Amino acid sequence: MKLVLIGDIHLYTLRVPLRRLLSRRAMAHANLLLNRRHHFNHGLLPAVIERARLLKPDHVLFSGDVSTSSLESEFQDFLDHARPLLEAAPCTLVPGNHDRYTFRSRRVRRIETLLGGLLPEGFPHVRALRPGWTLLALDSAVPNRFVSRGALGRAQLRRALEAIGAVPPDQALLVLCHYPCSLPDDVPSPWSRSLKEARALERALAACPGRVVYLHGHIHRPWRAATTEGGAAFECINAGAPCQIGTAWPLGQGFWEINLPDDPQGQLKTRHHALHPGPGHPSGQAVAADASRADGTDPPRAGRGPVEGRWRVGAGP
Ligand SMILES: [Fe+2]
Ligand SMILES: [Fe+2]
């Protein structure tokens, strides 16, 4: 079974009415104007979506933070961009903290309303993906006044722990949650940006009778790493931010292809797809990602003009 995992897209809207900035959104917007917009090129997104679609995945997983401050326009922009992929395969999305950024966005259930078909109807969401493989999707996104901390809440955590404990030894559990519950040693974990119940979740996953693969986003850097907790190990895959550009990932951090083996204890084959500067595809056809709009306006998508790249596929960072 082939899965695609896509992380923090963070579409944004530059022109926001003043009245809508009278909330925590003001913090996100200040960060957007001063910082974030210089590190994201959403002109890359069509190429990412098309690449994922061409892989013909059996299921697509979005690990959240598709928006920046939970505006309607940002969710609509996500739907517009992702539509070719959403129409090609079943998709499951868990919210990120930026998708429930303001208290009002939670009160009016904005993401549930606008992306309703992609979010499970309730959390924790448990479903069979294929024989031997179960998906456990968690909702860790809560608005905060000053920090970016996530929380599952007591009821969700209790039911998640029950689901984790119920996995038979010869089966596997795939967890999808925006926040990580365990980090590589070289990644800092500030209290203000972490999941409140991370330790409890990590302990339960390490004690799970079956195999565990934990998929998440939130930290904008892709990786695949094993974690050890109490001698037991499970694997974590961080999605990365496909439109975030920087020195290591000049054309975005790409996305993951994850192939679930028939045998739940078999080898998990992953491939990381990322665009790198180059004259074009191996086929000779260049990817052109032009972020500018036909009418000359920049919001809600931003970018840095046309770029060309070549897809590189590897075992992953
Ligand atoms: Fe996040
Ligand atoms: Fe994020």
Side-chain angles (χ1 to χ4, degrees):
M1 180 180 206
K2 186 189 292 181
L3 307 178
V4 157
L5 171 66
I6 298 179
D8 302 52
I9 296 173
H10 282 293
L11 286 154
Y12 61 76
T13 302
L14 284 179
R15 294 175 196 171
V16 180
L18 191 60
R19 65 182 172 78
R20 303 206 68 178
L21 292 174
L22 301 175
S23 67
R24 194 186 175 222
R25 180 169 293 115
M27 279 174 65
H29 208 66
N31 182 36
L32 173 64
L33 293 175
L34 295 172
N35 182 26
R36 190 182 289 272
R37 69 177 169 142
H38 302 298
H39 300 290
F40 275 78
N41 183 352
H42 290 114
L44 297 164
L45 190 52
V48 171
I49 295 296
E50 179 62 3
R51 176 77 175 186
R53 190 186 70 81
L54 290 174
L55 292 174
K56 295 187 167 56
D58 298 298
H59 204 115
V60 180
L61 304 171
F62 291 96
S63 58
D65 275 2
V66 298
S67 72
T68 294
S69 65
S70 313
L71 285 164
E72 294 88 339
S73 53
E74 295 168 351
F75 291 128
Q76 187 57 52
D77 228 23
F78 168 71
L79 288 175
D80 291 345
H81 274 104
R83 184 158 289 120
L85 185 56
L86 304 181
E87 291 176 352
C91 298
T92 300
L93 182 149
V94 293
N97 51 309
H98 283 262
D99 301 325
R100 210 174 270 138
Y101 200 73
T102 62
F103 289 90
R104 178 170 168 78
S105 70
R106 177 171 67 177
R107 199 164 55 246
V108 302
R109 295 175 56 79
R110 187 166 297 138
I111 187 170
E112 289 86 348
T113 306
L114 298 179
L115 303 187
L118 301 174
L119 262 71
E121 290 198 353
F123 289 95
H125 172 71
V126 182
R127 64 181 287 182
L129 277 177
R130 57 163 305 165
W133 285 89
T134 298
L135 174 68
L136 169 64
L138 300 174
D139 182 354
S140 55
V142 291
N144 291 281
R145 210 163 289 281
F146 301 111
V147 295
S148 303
R149 203 156 155 76
L152 299 171
R154 270 192 206 171
Q156 186 180 194
L157 178 66
R158 179 176 48 76
R159 291 175 53 206
L161 298 187
E162 288 169 6
I164 293 166
V167 180
D170 59 346
Q171 294 196 17
L173 184 70
L174 197 68
V175 184
L176 177 65
C177 181
H178 179 65
Y179 283 82
C181 71
S182 179
L183 293 170
D185 291 340
D186 65 332
V187 178
S189 176
W191 175 91
S192 60
R193 290 186 47 77
S194 61
L195 178 68
K196 182 182 175 189
E197 301 91 345
R199 284 290 295 154
L201 190 57
E202 184 187 31
R203 273 197 300 268
L205 292 170
C208 176
R211 178 187 196 169
V212 170
V213 179
Y214 189 96
L215 312 178
H216 67 90
H218 189 56
I219 296 177
H220 299 177
R221 186 185 124 188
W223 68 68
R224 175 180 173 180
T227 182
T228 43
E229 159 68 37
F234 63 91
E235 283 208 85
C236 299
I237 298 175
N238 187 10
C243 298
Q244 182 164 334
I245 53 177
T247 309
W249 305 98
L251 293 181
Q253 299 177 356
F255 67 92
W256 289 91
E257 172 192 344
I258 302 168
N259 292 285
L260 303 183
D262 291 342
D263 175 3
Q265 305 303 327
Q267 188 189 3
L268 186 76
K269 290 187 181 151
T270 57
R271 301 203 306 161
H272 185 254
H273 298 248
L275 269 171
H276 289 268
H281 276 311
S283 65
Q285 186 189 8
V287 171
D290 186 347
S292 61
R293 281 191 148 183
D295 63 2
T297 59
D298 63 346
R301 285 178 275 133
R304 298 188 166 195
V307 291
E308 284 192 355
R310 177 195 299 274
W311 284 102
R312 275 196 212 153
V313 181

Coordinates of all heavy atoms in Angstrom, one line a residue, residues 65-121:
D65 N -1.2 22.2 9.6 CA -0.6 23.5 9.3 C -0.6 23.7 7.7 O 0.4 24.1 7.1 CB 0.9 23.6 9.8 CG 0.9 24.1 11.2 OD1 -0.1 24.2 11.9 OD2 2.1 24.2 11.7
V66 N -1.8 23.6 7.2 CA -2.0 23.9 5.8 C -2.1 25.4 5.7 O -1.9 26.0 4.6 CB -3.2 23.2 5.1 CG1 -3.0 21.7 5.1 CG2 -4.5 23.6 5.7
S67 N -2.5 26.1 6.8 CA -2.8 27.5 6.8 C -1.7 28.2 7.7 O -0.9 27.6 8.2 CB -4.2 27.9 7.3 OG -4.3 27.6 8.7
T68 N -1.9 29.5 7.8 CA -1.0 30.3 8.7 C -1.7 30.9 9.9 O -1.2 30.8 11.0 CB -0.2 31.4 7.9 OG1 0.6 30.8 6.9 CG2 0.6 32.3 8.8
S69 N -2.9 31.4 9.6 CA -3.7 31.9 10.8 C -5.1 31.6 10.7 O -6.0 32.3 11.1 CB -3.5 33.4 10.9 OG -4.0 34.1 9.8
S70 N -5.4 30.4 10.0 CA -6.8 29.8 10.0 C -7.8 30.7 9.3 O -9.0 30.7 9.7 CB -7.3 29.6 11.5 OG -6.4 28.9 12.2
L71 N -7.4 31.5 8.3 CA -8.3 32.3 7.6 C -9.0 31.5 6.5 O -8.5 30.5 6.0 CB -7.6 33.4 6.9 CG -7.1 34.6 7.8 CD1 -6.1 35.5 7.0 CD2 -8.3 35.5 8.2
E72 N -10.3 31.9 6.2 CA -11.1 31.1 5.2 C -10.3 31.1 3.9 O -10.3 30.1 3.2 CB -12.4 31.8 5.0 CG -13.4 31.8 6.2 CD -13.1 33.0 7.1 OE1 -12.0 33.6 7.1 OE2 -14.1 33.3 7.9
S73 N -9.7 32.2 3.5 CA -9.0 32.3 2.2 C -7.8 31.3 2.2 O -7.5 30.8 1.1 CB -8.5 33.7 2.0 OG -7.7 34.2 3.1
E74 N -7.2 31.1 3.3 CA -6.0 30.1 3.3 C -6.5 28.7 3.1 O -5.9 27.9 2.4 CB -5.3 30.3 4.6 CG -4.6 31.6 4.8 CD -4.1 32.0 6.2 OE1 -4.4 31.2 7.1 OE2 -3.5 33.0 6.4
F75 N -7.6 28.3 3.8 CA -8.2 27.0 3.6 C -8.7 26.8 2.1 O -8.5 25.8 1.5 CB -9.3 26.7 4.6 CG -8.8 26.6 6.0 CD1 -9.4 27.3 7.0 CD2 -7.8 25.7 6.3 CE1 -9.0 27.2 8.3 CE2 -7.3 25.6 7.6 CZ -7.9 26.4 8.6
Q76 N -9.3 27.9 1.6 CA -9.8 27.8 0.2 C -8.6 27.6 -0.7 O -8.7 26.9 -1.7 CB -10.6 29.0 -0.1 CG -11.3 28.9 -1.5 CD -12.2 27.7 -1.6 OE1 -13.1 27.5 -0.7 NE2 -12.0 26.9 -2.7
D77 N -7.5 28.4 -0.5 CA -6.4 28.3 -1.3 C -5.8 26.8 -1.3 O -5.3 26.3 -2.3 CB -5.3 29.3 -0.8 CG -4.7 30.1 -1.9 OD1 -5.4 30.2 -2.9 OD2 -3.6 30.6 -1.7
F78 N -5.8 26.2 -0.1 CA -5.3 24.9 0.0 C -6.2 23.9 -0.8 O -5.7 23.1 -1.6 CB -5.4 24.4 1.5 CG -5.2 22.9 1.6 CD1 -4.0 22.3 1.4 CD2 -6.3 22.1 2.0 CE1 -3.8 20.9 1.5 CE2 -6.1 20.7 2.1 CZ -4.9 20.2 1.9
L79 N -7.5 24.1 -0.7 CA -8.4 23.2 -1.5 C -8.2 23.5 -3.0 O -8.1 22.5 -3.8 CB -9.9 23.5 -1.2 CG -10.4 23.1 0.1 CD1 -11.8 23.5 0.4 CD2 -10.3 21.5 0.3
D80 N -8.0 24.7 -3.4 CA -7.8 25.0 -4.9 C -6.5 24.3 -5.4 O -6.4 23.8 -6.4 CB -7.7 26.5 -5.1 CG -9.0 27.2 -4.9 OD1 -10.0 26.5 -4.8 OD2 -9.0 28.4 -4.7
H81 N -5.4 24.4 -4.6 CA -4.1 23.9 -5.0 C -4.1 22.3 -4.9 O -3.6 21.7 -5.8 CB -3.0 24.3 -4.0 CG -2.4 25.7 -4.4 ND1 -2.7 26.8 -3.8 CD2 -1.6 26.0 -5.4 CE1 -2.0 27.8 -4.3 NE2 -1.3 27.3 -5.3
A82 N -4.7 21.8 -3.9 CA -4.6 20.4 -3.6 C -5.6 19.6 -4.4 O -5.6 18.3 -4.4 CB -4.7 20.1 -2.1
R83 N -6.6 20.2 -5.0 CA -7.7 19.5 -5.6 C -7.3 18.3 -6.5 O -7.9 17.3 -6.4 CB -8.6 20.5 -6.4 CG -9.9 19.9 -7.0 CD -11.0 20.8 -7.2 NE -11.6 21.4 -6.0 CZ -11.6 22.6 -5.7 NH1 -11.1 23.5 -6.5 NH2 -12.2 23.0 -4.6
P84 N -6.4 18.5 -7.4 CA -6.0 17.3 -8.3 C -5.6 16.1 -7.5 O -5.9 15.0 -7.9 CB -4.8 17.8 -9.1 CG -4.9 19.3 -9.0 CD -5.5 19.7 -7.7
L85 N -5.0 16.3 -6.3 CA -4.6 15.2 -5.5 C -5.8 14.7 -4.6 O -6.0 13.5 -4.5 CB -3.5 15.6 -4.6 CG -2.8 14.5 -3.7 CD1 -2.3 13.4 -4.5 CD2 -1.7 15.2 -2.9
L86 N -6.6 15.6 -4.2 CA -7.7 15.3 -3.3 C -8.7 14.4 -4.1 O -9.4 13.6 -3.6 CB -8.4 16.5 -2.8 CG -7.6 17.5 -2.0 CD1 -8.4 18.7 -1.5 CD2 -6.9 16.8 -0.8
E87 N -8.8 14.7 -5.4 CA -9.7 14.0 -6.3 C -9.2 12.6 -6.8 O -9.9 11.8 -7.3 CB -10.1 14.8 -7.5 CG -10.9 16.0 -7.2 CD -11.2 17.0 -8.3 OE1 -10.7 16.8 -9.4 OE2 -12.0 17.9 -8.2
A88 N -7.9 12.5 -6.6 CA -7.2 11.3 -7.1 C -7.1 10.1 -6.1 O -6.9 9.0 -6.5 CB -5.8 11.6 -7.6
A89 N -7.2 10.5 -4.8 CA -7.0 9.4 -3.8 C -7.7 9.8 -2.5 O -7.9 11.0 -2.2 CB -5.5 9.3 -3.5
P90 N -8.0 8.8 -1.7 CA -8.6 9.1 -0.3 C -7.6 9.9 0.5 O -6.4 9.6 0.4 CB -8.8 7.7 0.3 CG -8.7 6.7 -0.8 CD -7.9 7.4 -1.9
C91 N -8.0 10.9 1.2 CA -7.1 11.8 2.0 C -7.5 11.9 3.4 O -8.7 11.9 3.7 CB -7.0 13.2 1.4 SG -6.4 13.2 -0.3
T92 N -6.6 12.0 4.3 CA -6.9 12.2 5.7 C -6.0 13.4 6.2 O -4.8 13.4 5.9 CB -6.6 11.0 6.6 OG1 -7.4 9.9 6.1 CG2 -6.9 11.3 8.0
L93 N -6.6 14.3 6.8 CA -5.9 15.5 7.3 C -6.1 15.7 8.8 O -7.2 15.5 9.3 CB -6.3 16.7 6.6 CG -5.7 18.1 6.8 CD1 -5.7 19.0 5.6 CD2 -6.4 18.8 8.0
V94 N -5.0 15.9 9.5 CA -5.2 16.3 10.9 C -4.8 17.8 11.1 O -3.9 18.2 10.4 CB -4.3 15.4 11.9 CG1 -4.8 14.0 11.9 CG2 -2.8 15.5 11.5
P95 N -5.5 18.5 11.9 CA -5.2 19.9 12.0 C -3.9 20.2 12.7 O -3.5 19.5 13.6 CB -6.3 20.5 12.9 CG -7.2 19.3 13.2 CD -6.6 18.1 12.8
G96 N -3.2 21.3 12.3 CA -2.0 21.8 13.0 C -2.4 23.0 13.8 O -3.5 23.5 13.7
N97 N -1.5 23.4 14.6 CA -1.8 24.6 15.5 C -2.2 25.8 14.7 O -3.0 26.6 15.1 CB -0.6 24.9 16.5 CG 0.7 25.0 15.8 OD1 1.1 24.1 15.0 ND2 1.4 26.1 16.1
H98 N -1.6 26.0 13.5 CA -1.9 27.2 12.7 C -3.3 27.0 12.1 O -3.8 28.0 11.6 CB -0.8 27.4 11.6 CG 0.4 28.0 12.2 ND1 0.7 29.4 12.1 CD2 1.4 27.5 12.9 CE1 1.8 29.6 12.7 NE2 2.3 28.5 13.2
D99 N -3.8 25.8 12.0 CA -5.2 25.6 11.4 C -6.3 25.9 12.5 O -7.5 25.8 12.1 CB -5.3 24.2 10.9 CG -4.2 23.9 9.8 OD1 -3.9 24.8 9.1 OD2 -3.8 22.8 9.8
R100 N -5.9 26.1 13.7 CA -6.8 26.4 14.8 C -6.2 27.5 15.6 O -6.0 27.4 16.8 CB -7.2 25.2 15.6 CG -8.6 25.2 16.1 CD -8.9 23.9 16.8 NE -9.6 23.0 16.0 CZ -9.3 21.6 15.9 NH1 -8.4 21.2 16.8 NH2 -9.9 20.8 15.1
Y101 N -5.8 28.6 14.9 CA -4.9 29.5 15.5 C -5.5 30.5 16.5 O -5.0 30.9 17.5 CB -4.2 30.3 14.3 CG -3.0 31.0 14.8 CD1 -1.8 30.3 14.9 CD2 -2.9 32.4 15.0 CE1 -0.6 30.9 15.3 CE2 -1.7 33.0 15.3 CZ -0.6 32.3 15.5 OH 0.6 32.9 15.9
T102 N -6.8 30.9 16.1 CA -7.5 31.8 17.0 C -8.6 31.1 17.8 O -9.1 30.0 17.3 CB -8.1 33.0 16.2 OG1 -9.1 32.4 15.3 CG2 -7.0 33.7 15.4
F103 N -9.0 31.6 18.9 CA -10.1 31.0 19.7 C -11.4 31.0 18.9 O -12.1 30.1 18.9 CB -10.2 31.7 21.0 CG -9.1 31.5 21.9 CD1 -8.0 32.3 21.9 CD2 -9.1 30.4 22.8 CE1 -6.9 32.0 22.8 CE2 -8.0 30.1 23.6 CZ -6.9 30.9 23.6
R104 N -11.5 32.1 18.1 CA -12.8 32.1 17.2 C -12.7 31.0 16.2 O -13.8 30.4 15.9 CB -12.9 33.5 16.6 CG -14.1 33.6 15.7 CD -14.4 35.0 15.2 NE -15.4 35.0 14.1 CZ -16.6 34.8 14.3 NH1 -17.1 34.7 15.5 NH2 -17.5 34.8 13.3
S105 N -11.6 30.8 15.6 CA -11.5 29.7 14.5 C -11.9 28.4 15.1 O -12.5 27.5 14.5 CB -10.1 29.6 13.9 OG -9.2 29.1 14.8
R106 N -11.6 28.2 16.4 CA -12.0 26.9 17.1 C -13.5 27.0 17.4 O -14.2 26.0 17.1 CB -11.3 26.7 18.4 CG -11.8 25.4 19.1 CD -10.9 25.0 20.3 NE -10.9 26.0 21.4 CZ -10.3 25.8 22.5 NH1 -9.6 24.8 22.7 NH2 -10.4 26.7 23.5
R107 N -14.0 28.1 17.8 CA -15.4 28.2 18.2 C -16.3 28.0 17.0 O -17.4 27.3 17.1 CB -15.6 29.6 18.9 CG -16.9 29.7 19.7 CD -16.9 31.0 20.6 NE -16.7 32.2 19.8 CZ -15.6 33.0 20.0 NH1 -14.6 32.6 20.8 NH2 -15.5 34.1 19.3
V108 N -16.0 28.6 15.9 CA -16.8 28.4 14.7 C -16.5 27.1 13.9 O -17.1 26.9 12.9 CB -16.7 29.6 13.8 CG1 -17.1 30.9 14.5 CG2 -15.4 29.8 13.2
R109 N -15.6 26.4 14.4 CA -15.2 25.1 13.8 C -14.8 25.3 12.3 O -15.3 24.7 11.4 CB -16.3 24.1 13.9 CG -16.6 23.7 15.4 CD -17.8 22.7 15.5 NE -17.7 21.5 14.7 CZ -17.0 20.5 14.9 NH1 -16.3 20.4 16.1 NH2 -16.9 19.4 14.1
R110 N -13.9 26.3 12.1 CA -13.6 26.7 10.7 C -13.0 25.6 9.9 O -13.4 25.3 8.8 CB -12.7 28.0 10.7 CG -12.6 28.5 9.3 CD -12.0 29.9 9.4 NE -12.8 30.8 10.0 CZ -12.4 31.8 10.9 NH1 -11.2 31.9 11.2 NH2 -13.3 32.6 11.5
I111 N -12.0 25.0 10.4 CA -11.4 23.9 9.6 C -12.3 22.7 9.4 O -12.3 22.2 8.3 CB -10.0 23.5 10.2 CG1 -9.3 22.5 9.2 CG2 -10.1 22.8 11.6 CD1 -7.9 22.2 9.5
E112 N -13.1 22.4 10.4 CA -14.0 21.3 10.2 C -15.1 21.7 9.2 O -15.5 20.8 8.4 CB -14.8 21.0 11.6 CG -13.9 20.4 12.6 CD -13.1 21.4 13.5 OE1 -13.1 22.6 13.1 OE2 -12.6 21.0 14.5
T113 N -15.5 22.9 9.1 CA -16.5 23.3 8.1 C -15.9 23.4 6.7 O -16.5 22.9 5.8 CB -17.0 24.8 8.5 OG1 -17.5 24.7 9.9 CG2 -18.1 25.2 7.6
L114 N -14.7 24.0 6.6 CA -14.2 24.2 5.3 C -13.4 23.0 4.7 O -13.4 22.9 3.5 CB -13.3 25.5 5.3 CG -14.0 26.8 5.7 CD1 -13.0 27.9 5.7 CD2 -15.1 27.1 4.7
L115 N -12.8 22.2 5.5 CA -12.1 21.1 5.0 C -12.8 19.8 5.5 O -12.1 18.8 5.8 CB -10.6 21.1 5.5 CG -9.8 22.3 5.1 CD1 -8.3 22.1 5.5 CD2 -9.9 22.6 3.6
G116 N -14.1 19.9 5.7 CA -14.8 18.8 6.4 C -14.6 17.4 5.8 O -14.4 16.5 6.6
G117 N -14.5 17.3 4.5 CA -14.4 16.0 3.9 C -13.0 15.3 4.2 O -12.9 14.1 4.0
L118 N -12.1 16.2 4.6 CA -10.7 15.6 4.8 C -10.4 15.2 6.2 O -9.6 14.4 6.5 CB -9.7 16.7 4.3 CG -9.8 17.1 2.9 CD1 -8.8 18.3 2.6 CD2 -9.5 16.0 2.0
L119 N -11.1 15.9 7.1 CA -10.9 15.6 8.5 C -11.8 14.5 9.0 O -12.9 14.4 8.6 CB -11.3 16.8 9.4 CG -10.1 17.7 9.9 CD1 -9.6 18.5 8.7 CD2 -10.6 18.7 11.0
P120 N -11.3 13.6 9.8 CA -12.1 12.5 10.3 C -13.3 13.2 11.1 O -13.1 14.3 11.6 CB -11.2 11.7 11.2 CG -9.8 12.0 10.7 CD -9.9 13.4 10.2
E121 N -14.4 12.5 11.3 CA -15.5 13.2 12.0 C -15.2 13.3 13.5 O -15.8 14.2 14.1 CB -16.8 12.4 11.7 CG -17.2 12.5 10.3 CD -18.6 12.1 10.0 OE1 -19.3 11.6 11.0 OE2 -19.1 12.4 8.9

